[in-house]
Structure formats: structure tokens, C-alpha cells
Amino acid sequence: MRTADTLTGDHPNVTFLPLSVVLRRWGDAGVDAGPFQYGLAILRPRYAALGLPRLLPLDRVLYGIQSTAPGAFGGFHHPNQGYRHLQMRPLITTYGPMGTGFPEPSELVALDLLRAYAHDCLHYGSYRSYRLRGDEVVRTQYGVNFRRHDGRTYSAPDLAGSPTTRNLGVVMEGACDREARRITREAARQHGVQQWAGIDRSAYRDVTGLLDRADVEALAQPEICDAVSPSPAAAAFLGSNGRYQASVNARYATFLDEIGRDEADDLHDVVLTAMISGQLSALSAWLRERRGPKAFESLFLSPVYFGPIGPAT
């Protein structure tokens, strides 16, 4: 699975190339990839300090540069993309209309790429353990989350509409994206990138972590998405943007404020370090000192996790 291409068949209309090849092509064509390069300079020492000295190799990143599907629109919220842990390979698509194969506006494309790459580096670097169940490979630990052989995870799904989270999957996804968007925001500042209008405004606010409740409410209205979108696929992209912000990033931010309070940034760093190492001791101790004995279990443990083994759900 890690030596063969088992992913791009899910996207028959998209042309994928290794990211290293794309970046060389951009350089030859004069495409401004400066924000991405600024971001690399920021994330390397930051991730090393968190315990991740080796980044996701560029050759393993499959980057979709063009699509033959009518009205195709790419970017972080393109359907069925992201990091695949068994293959240790992410799929990323170029932000914006994908008909020409040429990025426009190039600075925003580079920022969207940086956000996706910084995000997937953390997925790539998070601790994982696997066991065989017959012929099936089962991931039993990912970061600070655990899964039993029958499919039960350590924490239960959040209730629909919850403003916060107690689900470890959401916590880790939110931690990855909070960090990636912080790096992207700083790269945009250093490169002097300004906000755009229309659909690009929402994309810029998304990749730099500036989306707020008003943005989410607007993106939940199809007529508003349609008004600024060049195609139905672009409108769907905007809708997905709003849902992801509401269900992942906003919930994680609320979780940090609830549990971390004035130490929210410190808690975020402790979560990331634990994800990369796979060790719960520092995170459990941090929570225990502030919320009492067995704080990790009381916050996250599902009551059915240690119940009798039943069929996978």
C-alpha cells in the first residue's frame, strides 16, 4: 500500500503529481510560491520543538493540479482528500477552478497548500500502532486516541450541534488545523498577503484561521455561497468550509477555552506533543493538576469502551 498508488483512482478526473515536481514547475513558470516557502521556514523549527524533526516528504504528497470535471474546484475542502495513514500519503488539490492547471491567484493557492501540508505533516508525525486481525490491519492507537478491535473508540462522538468537543478525534483534528492555520497566518503576514473579495475572501479567512461565527452562519446559507461561486462545485466547497469550521475548529477552540482558560495555548502545545509521542503522561498530568484525579478519563472516556466485545459499529 505504501509503494503503489492506491489513492488517485478515487479521483479519475484529476491529474496528480508529486508536490516536489509541482513546486519545480511553479518555479520555472514564475508562480509565486513565496508564502509556502515562508511557511516551511516557520514550521520546521516549530515542529521540531514539538518532537517532530522529520516532515512529510514532498515526494509522498500527491498534488492535484488539474481536473476535467466541469466546474471542478479544488482546495483544502475538496471532497475525499487529505492524509491516508495506511499509505502514509496525502491527497491535496490546487485551490480554485481546476480547469486550466494554472494556479490563480497564486499567493492564495500557495497559502492553501501550506495549510494542507502543515496539517498533514502533523497527521504523518502522530504516533500510530497497528495490529493484525486476520487479514485486516487495525490501527489501535493514533496520537492520544485508542480503538478496540471491534471498532469502538475511546471517546464517543459529540452530540449534534455541540459548541464544544469531548471527542479525541475532533481534538486531534482541531489541534492539527489550529497549528497549520497559525503557521499559514504568520506566513501570510510575513509575505504581505492581503485579503481578496468573493469566494477568495472566505478561503483566505479559512486558511489563516480568521473565520468567525458570522462567517459560519453565512456559509450555511446556500444562496450566499451560490452568489460568490463560479460553479456548483465551488459553492459546495464553501459549504464544506463552513461545516468544518463549525464541527472541528470552533469546537476545538471552545474546548481549549473551557479546559485551558488562560493556559489555552499551553494546553494546545501539550496536546500536540502527546499526539506526536503517543505518550499520555504529560497531558494526563497537565489535566490532573487543574481538574483533579482521572481528569483525562472523566473528560474523554466513553462508557462503552471497556464493555463486552460486540460487532463493529
Side-chain angles (χ1 to χ4, degrees), residues 66-124:
Q66 191 170 9
S67 175
T68 58
F73 196 93
F76 185 83
H77 300 287
H78 187 273
N80 195 24
Q81 74 168 41
Y83 188 75
R84 304 294 188 264
H85 68 94
L86 283 177
Q87 291 87 352
M88 293 186 71
R89 173 171 287 188
L91 292 176
I92 301 173
T93 50
T94 306
Y95 170 77
M98 297 184 67
T100 66
F102 188 81
E104 182 65 34
S106 60
E107 288 180 325
L108 183 52
V109 170
L111 288 174
D112 182 84
L113 169 60
L114 172 61
R115 183 263 194 97
Y117 178 74
H119 182 114
D120 288 343
C121 276
L122 290 171
H123 283 310
Y124 164 79

Side-chain angles (χ1 to χ4, degrees), residues 235-249:
F237 178 92
L238 280 180
S240 179
N241 182 349
R243 290 188 296 274
Y244 184 86
Q245 172 65 21
S247 62
V248 176
N249 285 316

